[in-house]
């Protein structure tokens, strides 16, 4: 009886150790964030980006000037639009985008401009419901649409053009700001560099 007890105790200890080691294979949030920061620094270097410490007082950005927002998103305003601002839960917004998902050594290029692509559509303030709707779809919304795209509308209006870097770890009001794809891999976050985003109010 004693031998059985010791044998079972030994088995349980080994299983506990295996379980503990396998759990430790999952990176922590800080490790994921740190690894993604390395990729973001690479994007900043490759694109010759100057990171501003605050939003320009006159609202005018240089070609490669980006400001880091409190969410962790980097933004460059190419054109702030025609002065018409989106109204919460009332304005329907159509966006076309192009850029790169940095999920491999060679980033994946996407483009929804032109006749072959469809714009992303959402109601201002409700972008996360659109993200949730497409969470398991595997479509373009899943790949590269998130609240980060909507967040720029705090600063720009109808017919605006912006560039963004949206980290997979970025959050807006404790909700992920990136696309579902960016944080789907528990081993790695993927940043997205949006080379161009255009907003049209509908």
């Amino acid at each position: 009886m004693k031998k059985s007890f010791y044998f079972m105790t030994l088995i349980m200890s080994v299983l506990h150790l295996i379980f503990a080691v396998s759990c430790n294979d999952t990176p922590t949030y800080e490790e994921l964030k740190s690894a993604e920061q390395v990729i973001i620094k690479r994007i900043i270097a490759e694109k010759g980006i100057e990171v501003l410490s605050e939003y320009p007082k006159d609202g005018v950005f240089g070609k490669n000037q980006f400001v880091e927002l409190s969410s962790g998103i980097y933004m460059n305003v190419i054109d702030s639009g025609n002065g018409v601002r989106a109204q919460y839960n009332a304005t329907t917004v159509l966006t076309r985008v192009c850029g790169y998902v940095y999920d491999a050594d060679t980033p994946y290029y996407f483009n929804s401009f032109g006749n072959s692509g469809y714009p992303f559509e959402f109601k201002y303030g409700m972008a996360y419901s659109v993200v949730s709707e497409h969470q398991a779809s595997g479509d373009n919304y899943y790949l590269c649409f998130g609240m980060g795209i909507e967040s720029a509308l705090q600063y720009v209006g109808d017919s605006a053009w912006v560039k963004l870097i949206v980290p997979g770890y970025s959050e807006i009001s404790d909700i992920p700001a990136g696309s579902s794809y960016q944080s789907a891999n528990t081993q790695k976050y993927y940043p997205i560099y949006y080379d161009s985003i255009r907003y049209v109010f509908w």
Side-chain angles (χ1 to χ4, degrees):
M1 190 73 174
K2 268 188 178 179
K3 284 183 182 177
S4 293
F5 173 75
Y6 289 129
F7 180 71
M8 287 304 292
T9 303
L10 178 63
I11 294 292
M12 292 302 287
S13 297
V14 169
L15 288 173
H16 180 73
L17 183 62
I18 290 169
F19 179 74
V21 168
S22 67
C23 284
N24 288 339
D25 286 345
T26 304
T28 65
Y29 171 75
E30 288 304 322
E31 288 170 336
L32 288 168
K33 186 175 176 178
S34 179
E36 189 178 27
Q37 276 293 330
V38 172
I39 303 171
I40 290 169
K41 285 177 182 171
R42 171 187 153 196
I43 296 169
I44 288 169
E46 284 178 357
K47 307 295 180 187
I49 290 170
E50 175 193 355
V51 179
L52 305 175
S53 58
E54 58 183 32
Y55 199 92
K57 288 186 171 60
D58 59 3
V60 178
F61 286 75
K63 185 179 176 183
N64 288 329
Q65 291 181 328
F66 282 65
V67 64
E68 184 178 4
L69 306 174
S70 58
S71 59
I73 293 170
Y74 296 80
M75 181 175 70
N76 166 272
V77 177
I78 302 166
D79 184 334
S80 62
N82 60 20
V84 177
R85 291 304 181 97
Q87 301 301 307
Y88 185 82
N89 202 19
T91 304
T92 298
V93 184
L94 303 179
T95 62
R96 289 191 182 272
V97 303
C98 66
Y100 297 87
V101 180
Y102 280 75
D103 60 351
D105 288 339
T106 302
Y108 172 79
Y109 179 70
F110 58 86
N111 188 346
S112 71
F113 286 93
N115 295 330
S116 59
Y118 292 94
F120 294 127
E121 181 177 339
F122 62 96
K123 194 163 277 190
Y124 180 57
M126 307 301 288
Y128 189 66
S129 65
V130 177
V131 174
S132 300
E133 210 177 298
H134 293 263
Q135 205 155 19
S137 64
D139 63 8
N140 281 340
Y141 279 90
Y142 171 81
L143 179 69
C144 54
F145 178 79
M147 286 177 63
I149 289 175
E150 178 187 66
S151 69
L153 290 172
Q154 294 175 59
Y155 306 92
V156 300
D158 183 29
S159 300
W161 294 79
V162 303
K163 296 181 183 183
L164 296 176
I165 301 171
V166 180
Y169 65 76
S170 58
E171 293 183 343
I172 297 167
S173 301
D174 298 324
I175 298 173
S179 69
S180 299
Y181 178 71
Q182 285 182 263
S183 53
N185 183 347
T186 58
Q187 301 294 316
K188 191 174 183 182
Y189 284 149
Y190 304 129
I192 293 181
Y193 171 74
Y194 294 93
D195 191 47
S196 187
I197 302 175
R198 185 174 189 229
Y199 301 92
V200 175
F201 296 172
W202 189 253

